[in-house]
Amino acid sequence: MSENQFMRIIVFFDLPVTTKAKRKAANDFRRFLQRDGYQMLQLSVYTRIVRGRDMLQKHHKHLCENLPREGSVRCLEVTEKQFAAMAVLLGEKTTVEKKVNAEQLLLF
Amino acid sequence: MTWRTLLISNGGKLSLKNQQLLIQQNGDAIPVPLADLAVIVIENKETVLTTPLLSALAQHGITLLTCDEQFLPCGQWLPFAQYHRPLKTLKLQLNATQPQKKQLWQKIVQQKIRNQAFVLNEMGADKAAETLNRLAENVKSGDHDNKESQAAAVYFQAAFGRGFTRQQANAINAHLNYGYTILRSAVARALVQYGWLPALGLHHHNEQNPFNLADDFIEPFRPIVDLMVSEWANSGSLKDELTPHSKQQLIKLLHYQMRWQNQVFTTLGAIDRTIGSLQAALNEKDAKRLWLPEMLVLKEHRYE
């Protein structure tokens, strides 16, 4: 293996939305995730595909720089293989997940 | 390093939303992160694009190809003046001496012929491959006795049958041309990414060609297209004309494996690194600093 492998960053968060300011902070964080190339898996569970250690660290750093002031945010890093093995027990994969997958050539 | 290409065949609307490319088709809205994209090919006549998206593509160094009625790429969108030290590369390019350019061209032709020999070896044409390897050994500075065309004469006959020429209008050439066009656009993209003027070549100097430098650097990459098309031709799976499937496969070549400086990369990665090494070669006036791609067997390079 000479070049870096595909990995996934998964971000889980709970953010307070009791006041207008807190709602704004939560929305700003969500918007940051979208801008940084994350897909929504479920409400408050977002994932981004990255290629290799360098890219992983870059996005991890971005994430840390853009955290809201309060709430709870966690981040899990797994290989694409592990991510693909995730069992969907109820409901189904989102269209975005199916369409924008780990394929290098995307067809639309 | 970006790693994705995108082919739009089903129309719809492409726009920019939250710094992502939003694809609206059949009631779905799918965002694709711009940071991961390198090449977009749009072959559908009903596709609509927005201006902010085009600007964002330029800022992210993404190239976009549009196609004519025959679904062949006819236009390319390239970033303009996005490199951070344009004058540095421009000076290097303008001040490159004739001997320097000739030495670089010698290296490029040598590697092209070696890669062609690899293709012939893969097809079992060992004798012709030997001839090519001998020619590669004897390429002179600036290739002034034109070993490139001697090699091409042997190579195309051996690869695609006696009597074959690149000028014929046939299925093989249609597929080769499509593959080359995709490669060339990826090379042109890498050139502007690194701040080079694509019109100013090392060897190619056609005044009507805005991509002389891309035509220099595409040479050692062409054989990967040749290998795929020759395998189709030999297995009888080559269709009379380009099909959606064959075009997808030819675009996919950008993600196939190549060797570069003893490591394995995708073609896209090898293009990027090859163009990246041009600066060191010109800066230090040493053609040895230019690293070129070597062929491997046809296989999509997966990062796992």
Side-chain angles (χ1 to χ4, degrees), chain B residues 43 66-75 174 178 181 242 247:
Chain B
E43 57 172 22
T66 54
C67 300
D68 59 16
E69 293 79 31
Q70 276 82 45
F71 303 106
L72 298 173
C74 63
Y178 191 89
T181 304
L242 288 158
K247 282 184 291 187

Side-chain angles (χ1 to χ4, degrees), chain A residues 2-6 31 34-35 37-38 48-49 51 55 95 100-108, chain B residues 3-10 18 20 23 25 28 30 33 36 248 255 264-265 300-303:
Chain A
S2 67
E3 216 173 354
N4 303 310
Q5 63 172 25
F6 283 129
R31 197 165 303 121
Q34 287 168 345
R35 284 178 177 218
Y38 287 78
R48 193 196 201 293
I49 191 166
R51 211 192 68 193
M55 208 171 147
T95 321
V100 186
N101 47 22
E103 283 299 321
Q104 299 180 85
L105 170 62
L106 297 180
L107 303 169
F108 274 91
Chain B
W3 50 273
R4 251 190 184 143
T5 51
L6 175 61
L7 174 63
I8 307 277
S9 334
N10 303 324
N18 283 332
Q20 304 209 52
I23 305 174
Q25 275 179 352
D28 288 324
I30 316 273
D36 303 346
Q248 286 168 20
H255 308 298
V264 182
F265 294 107
E300 186 177 353
H301 184 49
R302 302 289 306 177
Y303 302 92

Side-chain angles (χ1 to χ4, degrees), chain B residues 2-299:
Chain B
T2 52
W3 50 273
R4 251 190 184 143
T5 51
L6 175 61
L7 174 63
I8 307 277
S9 334
N10 303 324
K13 183 181 173 187
L14 308 184
S15 58
L16 184 71
K17 192 184 173 190
N18 283 332
Q19 286 304 309
Q20 304 209 52
L21 161 64
L22 190 71
I23 305 174
Q24 286 165 294
Q25 275 179 352
N26 324 325
D28 288 324
I30 316 273
V32 181
L34 285 174
D36 303 346
L37 277 168
V39 181
I40 301 175
V41 181
I42 300 178
E43 57 172 22
N44 171 289
K45 284 192 288 219
E46 273 78 49
T47 314
V48 180
L49 293 165
T50 65
T51 321
L53 173 67
L54 283 176
S55 303
L57 295 185
Q59 285 162 341
H60 282 84
I62 299 165
T63 189
L64 177 134
L65 302 178
T66 54
C67 300
D68 59 16
E69 293 79 31
Q70 276 82 45
F71 303 106
L72 298 173
C74 63
Q76 181 173 17
W77 174 255
L78 275 173
F80 170 75
Q82 291 288 320
Y83 185 66
H84 58 102
R85 295 171 74 186
L87 191 58
K88 183 184 171 186
T89 48
L90 188 59
K91 276 181 181 165
L92 277 176
Q93 220 177 333
L94 290 173
N95 298 337
T97 59
Q98 216 46 36
Q100 263 181 296
K101 290 189 206 169
K102 283 181 170 174
Q103 281 163 16
L104 291 170
W105 182 240
Q106 175 186 15
K107 272 206 75 164
I108 291 172
V109 171
Q110 245 170 355
Q111 193 54 51
K112 175 190 182 180
I113 299 176
R114 284 194 186 120
N115 287 353
Q116 289 175 329
F118 181 97
V119 173
L120 295 185
N121 270 328
E122 278 298 295
M123 300 169 57
D126 296 351
K127 253 202 154 74
E130 238 171 87
T131 311
L132 253 54
N133 277 323
R134 259 202 313 278
L135 282 169
E137 289 309 308
N138 295 314
V139 175
K140 308 266 188 310
S141 175
D143 191 27
H144 65 76
D145 51 0
N146 215 347
K147 292 280 188 284
E148 185 189 17
S149 64
Q150 292 171 42
V154 175
Y155 171 70
F156 281 110
Q157 303 272 319
F160 299 110
R162 294 189 59 146
F164 174 85
T165 69
R166 281 281 296 128
Q167 286 70 39
Q168 293 156 341
N170 57 25
I172 289 173
N173 277 323
H175 285 79
L176 290 180
N177 290 342
Y178 191 89
Y180 294 161
T181 304
I182 299 294
L183 271 183
R184 191 175 185 238
S185 68
V187 173
R189 167 187 172 262
L191 288 171
V192 295
Q193 286 277 83
Y194 281 98
W196 304 106
L197 268 187
L200 189 57
L202 300 166
H203 171 78
H204 289 89
H205 55 272
N206 180 340
E207 290 189 351
Q208 293 156 348
N209 181 1
F211 290 117
N212 283 312
L213 193 56
D215 289 335
D216 291 335
F217 276 100
I218 190 181
E219 296 297 354
F221 291 94
R222 285 183 199 268
I224 198 171
V225 176
D226 306 341
L227 184 54
M228 183 173 261
V229 176
S230 70
E231 284 192 2
W232 290 342
N234 292 334
S235 63
S237 59
L238 186 75
K239 300 281 181 290
D240 290 341
E241 42 197 41
L242 288 158
T243 64
H245 177 75
S246 65
K247 282 184 291 187
Q248 286 168 20
Q249 290 304 311
L250 288 165
I251 296 174
K252 234 184 193 167
L253 277 175
L254 291 176
H255 308 298
Y256 273 52
Q257 57 174 17
M258 291 194 97
R259 189 188 297 283
W260 189 88
Q261 252 195 321
N262 292 322
Q263 289 181 302
V264 182
F265 294 107
T266 57
T267 307
L268 260 180
I271 288 173
D272 202 87
R273 286 169 172 83
T274 298
I275 304 300
S277 71
L278 175 62
Q279 196 177 83
L282 285 177
N283 222 353
E284 291 160 43
K285 300 189 170 42
D286 182 1
K288 284 197 209 66
R289 300 300 303 269
L290 180 72
W291 290 90
L292 294 161
E294 296 166 44
M295 288 286 293
L296 292 166
V297 291
L298 280 187
K299 182 170 153 253

